[in-house]
Amino acid sequence: MTDSEAPPAKAPEGVSGAPALPQPVLEIASGYAFTGPALDLGALLWDGRCLPDVQIRIPLPMLNRHGLVAGATGTGKTKTLQLIAEQLSAQGVPVFLADVKGDVSGISAPGQENDKVRTRAGEVRQEWTPAGFPCEFYALGGMGHGIPVRATITSFGPVLLSKVLQLNQTQEQSLGLIFHYADQKGLELVDLKDLRAVVTFLTSDEGKSELKGIGGLSTATAGVILRSLTAFEAQGMSPFFGEPEFDTSELSRVAGDGRGTVSVLELPAVQDKPQLFSTFLMWLLADLFHDLPEVGDVDKPKLVFFFDEAHLLFNDASKAFLDAITQTVRLIRSKGVGVFFVTQTPKDVPGDVLAQLGNRVQHALRAFTPDDQKALKSTVKTFPNSPYDLEEVLTALGTGEAVVTVLSEKGAPTPVAATRLRAPESLMGPVDPAALDRAVEQSPLYGRYAEAVDRESAYEKLTAREAQAAASSAPSAPSEPTSSRGRGRKGDGQDSSVVQQVVGSGVFKSLARSLGTQAGREITRSIFGTARRRR
């Protein structure tokens, strides 16, 4: 059905004495009669009737032109994500879904037929068949059900971290200088205690001279950053930063049967940390952007990324942060990645970002207050000209209905179409927690990411430096004869012994490891100040 040309529009069946379709309906039908592969969204709504002969679809190649799924709470946004994700997976396209409420895990299990499903399938002429789809389940820092997703502080970068710490623009720039200092000195920032150790050192008597050397960073600002880090850590944020760091290329996997893997990031356990999870999602997207090659226009996306609760990402964001998001969204299309922002109203998304979105699925809006009315009028103005009275339609849509406009195969906007959406074929609700845990533990990725690793990094190096400084200030002990060490060749003398001591020291090994790691990580800061890495 998705690969064939849509049938010509005609009077809907089951409507006795139905008149010929009006000209606006025929024009809408013509706008969605794609010849190439497409996803089926549902059937046209017109004048209070559902017209199953007029199918509303979205061309598969246009899914990397980004999109918006919006609507008030309870209007069916999550089920729309599920519907689109299922069809993308079936077409071999990997999908990433952020599961904020904990009810998307059902995409891995076949749906359950009932009266509502049968009714909806009949209304939109859908051949509904229960089906589950290949899934991987993740959890931020291992909090909740899922394979732990962690990032190192180094790769997370100063811009994203400033958003999490709610720093102002001056403090954000100062944090960037601290990252630059750590990069230059070989102090790898793996977790929060590493960054805290570096800032503590820079504000200490010993480190103040270093602080002056990195320019424009005051002791007072460094102290504010240190207090923000300490408070952030006290809120239980440490598990999200560390190693093994998640390799975002895992999100682009295809199952053995050719279907795209659906990566579900479980977020219920961090619902009370909106700044954290929204910024972490942006890190995933930024990391993908850094690593993926340019592919230009492709027959189907390499990955489609759904960004739920998108308004949390933009709240109180600095100009630098918003500029970075806009640039990422603008450029990542050429790498074959589509991004869908999911939120309540289009006004939640900045205009520069909204301008990059080619596909729209707008569920019902409420208009109970003057602010609601203003938001409704603003939303209507963002749609192309339409034969619908959109102010009326958008407040009258039922659950599982939406106003749709997408990009055609030629890249032009399709006519606005009020649509009754199809029913997802997977389970519309969460799977059993025990089954979810089994799926996680049986994943080939579980052994790679399950256990946290705390290796030597900035905290250990600075602690060792402090210990060495303390030891050097203490009275010297008599040196042990060289011969008793059993090292070095006869005749090497004292110089050889000193070299061996240095090379064998933990500090030297740590520095060598750091330099090797730095070479592998290519610590150059990109759009978000994140570290670019070779994998």
Side-chain angles (χ1 to χ4, degrees):
M1 180 180 294
T2 57
D3 294 333
S4 61
E5 185 172 353
K10 58 183 180 180
E13 296 179 5
V15 180
S16 178
L21 296 179
Q23 185 62 29
V25 172
L26 295 175
E27 292 176 359
I28 293 172
S30 175
Y32 290 89
F34 309 126
T35 57
L39 310 187
D40 297 306
L41 297 179
L44 183 71
L45 289 170
W46 182 265
D47 197 22
R49 295 183 299 156
C50 181
L51 309 181
D53 288 300
V54 183
Q55 291 290 311
I56 307 303
R57 313 162 78 219
I58 178 171
L60 184 62
M62 293 296 113
L63 266 297
N64 72 334
R65 297 304 201 274
H66 310 322
L68 176 74
V69 178
T73 300
T75 55
K77 297 191 299 295
T78 301
K79 298 301 174 282
T80 297
L81 303 189
Q82 195 167 338
L83 174 67
I84 296 174
E86 289 177 353
Q87 296 187 60
L88 285 168
S89 174
Q91 299 263 16
V93 178
V95 178
F96 173 88
L97 292 174
D99 186 8
V100 178
K101 297 185 289 292
D103 55 358
V104 180
S105 59
I107 196 169
S108 63
Q112 298 174 349
E113 189 173 10
N114 54 40
D115 290 340
K116 287 184 179 181
V117 170
R118 282 190 291 268
T119 300
R120 176 58 60 96
E123 289 171 343
V124 300
R125 195 171 294 159
Q126 173 187 7
E127 297 179 5
W128 189 89
T129 304
F133 295 83
C135 288
E136 289 285 0
F137 298 99
Y138 301 99
L140 283 187
M143 291 185 64
H145 302 276
I147 296 163
V149 174
R150 305 179 187 90
T152 63
I153 293 291
T154 287
S155 72
F156 206 72
V159 177
L160 292 176
L161 190 61
S162 295
K163 179 70 163 61
V164 172
L165 296 176
Q166 301 181 47
L167 303 181
N168 62 31
Q169 185 173 354
T170 300
Q171 293 158 358
E172 177 183 313
Q173 293 169 349
S174 297
L175 185 61
L177 289 173
I178 293 170
F179 269 71
H180 176 71
Y181 171 82
D183 290 350
Q184 294 299 310
K185 297 296 183 180
L187 297 172
E188 192 171 27
L189 305 175
V190 173
D191 50 27
L192 285 174
K193 73 176 185 299
D194 289 323
L195 181 56
R196 182 160 44 79
V198 172
V199 180
T200 299
F201 169 73
L202 290 173
T203 54
S204 68
D205 293 338
E206 183 185 358
K208 284 180 181 178
S209 59
E210 302 276 347
L211 192 63
K212 292 177 182 178
I214 58 179
L217 177 60
S218 69
T219 304
T221 301
V224 170
I225 294 172
L226 180 59
R227 289 192 295 274
S228 298
L229 280 171
T230 302
F232 186 67
E233 201 168 7
Q235 295 169 15
M237 303 299 188
S238 295
F240 306 108
F241 298 97
E243 292 181 321
E245 183 174 69
F246 182 69
D247 185 344
T248 52
S249 65
E250 309 284 11
L251 303 180
S252 303
R253 297 166 61 222
V254 175
D257 60 4
R259 293 183 297 172
T261 298
V262 181
S263 298
V264 180
L265 181 64
E266 297 279 322
L267 294 172
V270 292
Q271 277 187 338
D272 59 339
K273 302 174 178 66
Q275 292 276 4
L276 177 69
F277 77 70
S278 64
T279 311
F280 231 98
L281 294 183
M282 198 65 233
W283 171 77
L284 290 173
L285 192 59
D287 201 65
L288 282 164
F289 174 77
H290 300 157
D291 291 349
L292 290 174
E294 294 281 341
V295 295
D297 291 326
V298 289
D299 293 336
K300 62 183 180 181
K302 300 294 185 183
L303 173 71
V304 177
F305 193 103
F306 288 93
F307 214 126
D308 204 0
E309 301 291 343
H311 64 281
L312 298 172
L313 182 68
F314 302 110
N315 288 348
D316 303 318
S318 68
K319 184 179 184 302
F321 187 77
L322 293 177
D323 289 346
I325 293 175
T326 304
Q327 189 174 357
T328 301
V329 172
R330 182 184 295 122
L331 298 178
I332 203 170
R333 180 198 67 79
S334 65
K335 301 196 173 191
V337 177
V339 182
F340 275 70
F341 292 99
V342 186
T343 188
Q344 295 200 356
T345 70
K347 71 181 183 65
D348 293 335
V349 181
D352 288 344
V353 177
L354 202 62
Q356 307 298 319
L357 312 183
N359 304 299
R360 291 274 301 277
V361 180
Q362 177 67 60
H363 288 266
L365 291 173
R366 310 303 181 206
F368 297 135
T369 69
D371 286 344
D372 291 342
Q373 289 280 359
K374 186 177 179 180
L376 175 62
K377 291 180 182 295
S378 298
T379 299
V380 169
K381 290 178 182 178
T382 63
F383 280 95
N385 291 334
S386 165
Y388 292 98
D389 180 347
L390 286 179
E391 283 194 39
E392 179 180 343
V393 170
L394 285 173
T395 55
L397 290 170
T399 302
E401 297 176 347
V403 171
V404 175
T405 179
V406 301
L407 293 181
S408 70
E409 293 167 312
K410 297 180 179 179
T414 58
V416 176
T419 306
R420 182 161 292 163
L421 298 169
R422 291 180 165 225
E425 296 184 339
S426 56
L427 183 64
M428 289 188 277
V431 297
D432 180 71
L436 183 56
D437 286 338
R438 284 195 299 272
V440 170
E441 292 171 5
Q442 291 170 3
S443 167
L445 303 181
Y446 184 76
R448 194 177 307 170
Y449 298 108
E451 293 297 327
V453 176
D454 187 12
R455 64 180 176 85
E456 192 174 40
S457 50
Y459 172 80
E460 289 78 12
K461 293 173 187 177
L462 290 172
T463 301
R465 176 175 174 171
E466 183 179 348
Q468 286 180 338
S472 64
S473 63
S476 328
S479 59
E480 189 177 352
T482 304
S483 59
S484 67
R485 300 181 189 276
R487 296 181 184 176
R489 292 170 298 180
K490 187 175 179 179
D492 281 349
Q494 185 177 1
D495 290 342
S496 175
S497 176
V498 170
V499 170
Q500 287 179 344
Q501 287 180 54
V502 172
V503 171
S505 70
V507 173
F508 182 88
K509 291 178 179 177
S510 172
L511 178 61
R513 186 185 301 114
S514 174
L515 292 174
T517 304
Q518 277 184 281
R521 284 183 173 273
E522 295 182 302
I523 301 185
T524 56
R525 300 285 166 188
S526 48
I527 290 178
F528 277 98
T530 51
R532 303 192 66 175
R533 295 162 292 155
R534 278 197 295 258
R535 291 197 170 108

